[in-house]
Amino acid sequence: MPDDTQSLGRCPNCDERITTAWVLVEYERDDGTEGIWAECPTCEDVVAPE
């Protein structure tokens, strides 16, 4: 079972902690690194956690 409480970073808009439970999309960037889009549980924006 995945751990949905692992932190991905913080919302760049409201500084709320975002966990893996809020991931919407995982993708690979052109440089080979992983990118993530997630929904912020507080401000409900779709963001790239920082």
Side-chain angles (χ1 to χ4, degrees):
M1 176 179 271
D3 180 9
D4 287 346
T5 61
Q6 181 180 6
S7 181
L8 298 173
R10 297 204 166 267
C11 175
N13 299 330
C14 71
D15 203 40
E16 178 68 25
R17 187 173 78 97
I18 299 175
T19 63
T20 55
W22 295 94
V23 170
L24 299 173
V25 176
E26 294 179 14
Y27 63 95
E28 185 176 321
R29 296 183 182 118
D30 290 338
D31 65 3
T33 60
E34 181 182 272
I36 296 174
W37 289 103
E39 180 180 355
C40 176
T42 301
C43 68
E44 298 179 356
D45 286 341
V46 175
V47 298
E50 298 179 337

